[in-house]
Structures are given as structure tokens and as C-alpha cells.
Amino acid sequence: MKMELWRNLMKPITIIKTGKTFPDLIDKNGDFEDWISRGIGLPNSEIKIVNAESDILPEPDQIRGAIISGSHAYVTDNLDWCLRLEHWTKMIIDNQMPLLGICFGHQVIAKAMGGIVDFHPISLEIGTKEIELLPSCENDPLFTGLPARFKVHLFHSQSVIQLPANTTVLARNEFEPHQAVRVGKNAWGVQFHPEANSAATRGYIQNLLADVKSADYEPDQLFEQIEETPYSASLLKRFVELI
């Protein structure tokens, strides 16, 4: 038993990179995988970055857990690499390996397991917003003990419209009923961005200013509402501790 535990601990936490953020944000603070790596808080030797667009995705027995990043791609585009990722995601979940999907990754998990993803019927959701945890979090190993309400960073235009079977909704807000879910026992999806900080959210509002205005948001108000989101950020370390 001790040898099996040791072998598992020697396997990496795998970050599945599914795209790039805006160039100006990369220049200032790195890319999606860098944000996630910093949030995890493990040495680089314990983290493996896999590019879903070009790399071979690892077998379940090669990892001890995985995080699927956000992306500027759309799940509904059914790109070849994304369809491969969906197949891999289902295999990981079927093998009960710990998995966390962030925004696009959250949507990939839902679609891979039979849910429906599409553009949100209202508009994009962007900025620092509050989410509400549901009573289901009381027995959830990732969310238990967190406050009933806390702030998160959000920037997305697609959502999980219909949940797959065997899914528990963990968090919501007025805009998005599926802010956090658990699929089965070991897979979680969050529509928000626990890896993002205030600078990232400010950068997304600036880069998407035309979309923000067309969605009838007031940019100055969004900028004023930006703040750090420590409870959201804690989910990355919580996920690693859970593994």
C-alpha cells in the first residue's frame, strides 16, 4: 500500500492547455498554464503541461490528477483536437481520476459526458461577480467549508445549457445556474476562473471592450467592481490537496 501511494505521488499534476490568452496579458503575467501553476503552488517538477492542440494526451495511469484550462475556442466548434479532448475527458472520468475543468474545461467535461453547451441566451458574463454555493456543497470534498457566497472572476460567452447525467450543481448566480458542478465523484467543473487575478480580469474587459459595450455593460462600473478573489483562488490548492 505504501509503495502504491509513493508511486501515485511521483506522478505529475497535469495541466491540459487548451489555448492562449491575449498577447498583452501573456507579456505581463504569462499564459493560462502559468496562472494555474502559480495557483496550485507546487514545484514545476510536480507539474506537467500538455497542449491539447498538439500533444498526445496522457493515459489515466500516467497522472494523479488533471486540470483543463480555459480557452478562446468554442466547444461548439467541434474542432478535431477538442473532440479528442472530449474523448480523453470521458476516459479520465470513467477511470475516476481527479479532474477539474475551468470555464472552457468545465464545458468540455459537460459535453464529454452527454451535456449540452451553447452560447448563453443573454450575453457574455464578465468581471468580478458573486456566486452562491448550494446546500450540496456541504458534503462536497472540494467546496465544503467555503463561505456561502464569495466573489469570482468571470469571462465567458458559452455555458453549460443542459447538464449531463450524474451531475450535482454546487454553485450558481443570477446569470449562470451552473457556476460549479461535480460530475460523478471525482470531476469538477467551474464556469469561473480561480486561476485569474484582478489584473487578468481587467485585461479581459479591456480586450473585449466592444463586446462588453454591445452586451450593455458599463465598462467603468465593471472596472470599479474588480477585486481579488481569494476563496475562488483557494480551489486550485484545495483540488491538489484533495488528490
Side-chain angles (χ1 to χ4, degrees):
M1 180 65 72
K2 288 183 179 179
M3 181 59 72
E4 183 180 345
L5 177 60
W6 172 251
R7 286 174 179 166
N8 189 52
L9 289 172
M10 293 297 288
K11 296 173 184 176
I13 302 293
T14 301
I15 297 173
I16 307 296
K17 175 181 171 66
T18 61
K20 293 182 178 181
T21 187
F22 293 107
D24 61 310
L25 295 186
I26 294 176
D27 290 342
K28 294 175 184 176
N29 208 27
D31 209 345
F32 292 134
E33 69 273 20
D34 304 305
W35 305 355
I36 295 171
S37 295
R38 286 194 289 267
I40 288 173
L42 291 177
N44 290 338
S45 59
E46 295 186 40
I47 300 172
K48 182 177 177 62
I49 310 297
V50 176
N51 190 326
E53 296 182 71
S54 57
D55 296 340
I56 296 174
L57 296 167
E59 295 296 323
D61 61 0
Q62 295 176 327
I63 64 175
R64 75 178 195 257
I67 300 173
I68 305 175
S69 80
S71 178
H72 291 181
Y74 292 127
V75 172
T76 54
D77 286 341
N78 293 316
L79 300 170
D80 288 345
W81 66 264
C82 191
L83 294 176
R84 289 194 299 272
L85 177 59
E86 289 172 24
H87 177 79
W88 177 86
T89 297
K90 186 176 187 308
M91 178 180 66
I92 292 296
I93 293 174
D94 288 346
N95 279 270
Q96 297 192 17
M97 296 300 298
L99 181 64
L100 174 64
I102 296 172
C103 194
F104 177 86
H106 159 69
Q107 297 162 13
V108 166
I109 289 174
K111 186 168 180 284
M113 301 307 290
I116 296 175
V117 175
D118 208 338
F119 287 93
H120 193 281
I122 299 176
S123 69
L124 80 164
E125 184 179 29
I126 191 166
T128 305
K129 308 291 184 181
E130 187 175 74
I131 63 168
E132 171 193 2
L133 300 193
L134 303 177
S136 52
C137 288
E138 292 178 7
N139 298 315
D140 182 79
L142 184 59
F143 280 83
T144 186
L146 288 172
R149 294 175 177 270
F150 58 84
K151 298 291 183 66
V152 301
H153 296 302
L154 290 145
F155 26 93
H156 70 104
S157 55
Q158 291 203 324
S159 298
V160 178
I161 304 299
Q162 182 175 312
L163 295 170
N166 197 25
T167 297
T168 302
V169 181
L170 301 169
R172 63 169 298 281
N173 66 3
E174 290 184 3
F175 186 93
E176 175 59 63
H178 308 137
Q179 286 288 359
V181 303
R182 185 182 69 248
V183 181
K185 293 182 178 180
N186 294 306
W188 289 266
V190 293
Q191 185 57 74
F192 53 92
H193 287 269
E195 83 287 12
N197 59 17
S198 291
T201 298
R202 183 174 296 276
Y204 266 83
I205 296 170
Q206 290 171 333
N207 276 281
L208 297 173
L209 207 54
D211 294 327
V212 166
K213 290 178 179 178
S214 67
D216 291 329
Y217 285 108
E218 174 50 56
D220 288 342
Q221 186 177 34
L222 290 179
F223 287 132
E224 289 174 4
Q225 292 170 347
I226 294 174
E227 61 182 84
E228 295 300 346
T229 58
Y231 291 113
S232 173
S234 73
L235 288 167
L236 292 174
K237 287 186 177 178
R238 279 172 164 256
F239 179 70
V240 172
E241 290 168 0
L242 203 159
I243 295 173

